[in-house]
Amino acid sequence: MSINVETYAAECATAGMRGDYARCRDDFTVTQNLDAYDDEDRAVWKTLADRQRALTQELAHHSYLAGLEALGILDDIPDFAEVSRRLSAATGWTLVAVPGLIPAEPFFRHLSERRFPVTDWLRSRDELDYIVEPDMFHDFFGHVPILMQPEFADFMQMYGETALSVMAAGGDEMITRLYWYTAEYGLIQEEGGPLKAFGAGLMSSATELRFALESPDANHVPMDIETIMRTGYEIDSFQRAYFVLPSFEALRQAMRDADIAGIIARYAGEKAIDPSTLRR
């Protein structure tokens, strides 16, 4: 289904969403303007990056940390084109700048073609701890480093392809849950290793990252794609369940083997599972 960019831009403006949607091309991408970021923007980026670097060094999976180091995004607002070159050389992914949240269809299409949309504006200093809309720090610091992990990079492309194929079947909500509990709030415990985080919602959060890994109240549940797709999630509070992968290869294989269309056909329209009722 084709989505009119001008209509979407008007809807975003009416809803008070940030970002200059009037600049969107037909695929909802824009051109990053590095000159638009001022000294305050750069100071905010450095503050966020320094704070999260300390937490992620302790609590993030080694694949995320390796990606963070290889991409060199800690010291200043990243140049999307330069980071894309490094990312493409490693896993075939590139970055595209977007003005903020974009519709599901173009988002999934970008993923299916190994392009990751990254918001081109940054939060203000009084939003260091919480922001309603995902911004450049969430998208970049949270999502991009783990795209250097080959199996997860493949999973994300498969996810985009699958999401496009099931939209017409009314599977939008269920397929979104799969993204939420993996790309946004996923945990991993590889054989013989400690529990670590890799999801972007955790990587970019100063508080939920510690809660998810260290709190006795955090509910850790084994990964199961069908259960994930049937489980509700929290938008403005800590998650009441975190799904734990045994490995990135297991996630890629599970995505390859799953009958996503069949799961949607069986459970679409049913009330979502309360995540607090799931047991490890």
Side-chain angles (χ1 to χ4, degrees):
M1 179 178 66
S2 177
I3 299 171
N4 182 275
V5 174
E6 292 183 359
T7 300
Y8 186 78
E11 291 173 354
C12 290
T14 300
M17 293 173 64
R18 244 178 294 188
D20 184 2
Y21 287 85
R23 296 186 293 128
C24 281
R25 304 181 185 94
D26 289 344
D27 62 357
F28 288 85
T29 64
V30 297
T31 299
Q32 184 193 28
N33 179 8
L34 278 169
D35 294 334
Y37 307 117
D38 59 21
D39 290 344
E40 173 64 6
D41 292 323
R42 290 184 164 81
V44 167
W45 178 273
K46 192 70 166 58
T47 298
L48 289 166
D50 287 348
R51 182 173 69 178
Q52 288 305 110
R53 172 165 42 185
L55 279 174
T56 56
Q57 286 295 322
E58 178 186 354
L59 301 174
H61 189 261
H62 63 81
S63 294
Y64 171 88
L65 297 175
L68 191 64
E69 181 68 24
L71 294 176
I73 64 174
L74 290 169
D75 294 330
D76 198 0
I77 290 175
D79 179 336
F80 288 22
E82 175 57 32
V83 176
S84 279
R85 283 190 285 272
R86 299 182 189 183
L87 186 59
S88 179
T91 59
W93 278 78
T94 57
L95 308 179
V96 290
V98 293
L101 290 170
I102 63 174
E105 192 276 338
F107 179 74
F108 295 151
R109 189 164 303 283
H110 284 304
L111 296 186
S112 74
E113 297 175 1
R114 289 178 102 89
R115 295 190 300 266
F116 193 82
V118 178
T119 302
D120 71 340
W121 56 265
L122 184 65
R123 70 190 72 183
S124 63
R125 188 172 294 278
D126 60 2
E127 298 170 309
L128 291 178
D129 294 323
Y130 179 75
I131 186 168
V132 176
E133 298 175 62
D135 70 334
M136 180 168 53
F137 184 76
H138 169 84
D139 287 347
F140 227 120
F141 194 91
H143 284 289
V144 176
I146 200 63
L147 289 174
M148 294 284 280
Q149 208 288 333
E151 288 80 18
F152 187 77
D154 290 346
F155 161 77
M156 287 290 279
Q157 181 181 19
M158 286 190 287
Y159 172 85
E161 292 170 343
T162 303
L164 281 174
S165 72
V166 301
M167 284 183 67
D172 297 36
E173 184 176 5
M174 293 182 72
I175 201 70
T176 297
R177 293 170 187 159
L178 180 55
Y179 185 89
W180 188 266
Y181 279 120
T182 55
E184 291 288 355
Y185 288 95
L187 303 179
I188 183 168
Q189 187 159 28
E190 294 185 308
E191 186 176 355
L195 185 63
K196 296 289 185 178
F198 69 90
L202 299 173
M203 295 299 96
S204 60
S205 170
T207 53
E208 190 164 3
L209 179 55
R210 284 206 177 278
F211 173 83
L213 290 174
E214 298 179 342
S215 173
D217 295 326
N219 186 17
H220 299 151
V221 182
M223 179 198 73
D224 175 74
I225 284 181
E226 181 173 306
T227 303
I228 290 173
M229 291 178 63
R230 298 179 60 200
T231 302
Y233 59 85
E234 311 302 321
I235 295 176
D236 55 4
S237 62
F238 289 175
Q239 301 306 303
R240 289 181 286 148
Y242 300 92
F243 286 87
V244 181
L245 313 184
S247 69
F248 287 115
E249 174 54 32
L251 176 63
R252 179 172 67 175
Q253 191 61 46
M255 188 67 185
R256 185 173 288 145
D257 296 343
D259 178 14
I260 301 294
I263 294 170
I264 290 170
R266 289 193 297 274
Y267 298 110
E270 285 194 4
K271 183 179 179 181
I273 295 171
D274 181 342
S276 66
T277 66
L278 297 174
R279 292 295 175 259
R280 34 187 103 172

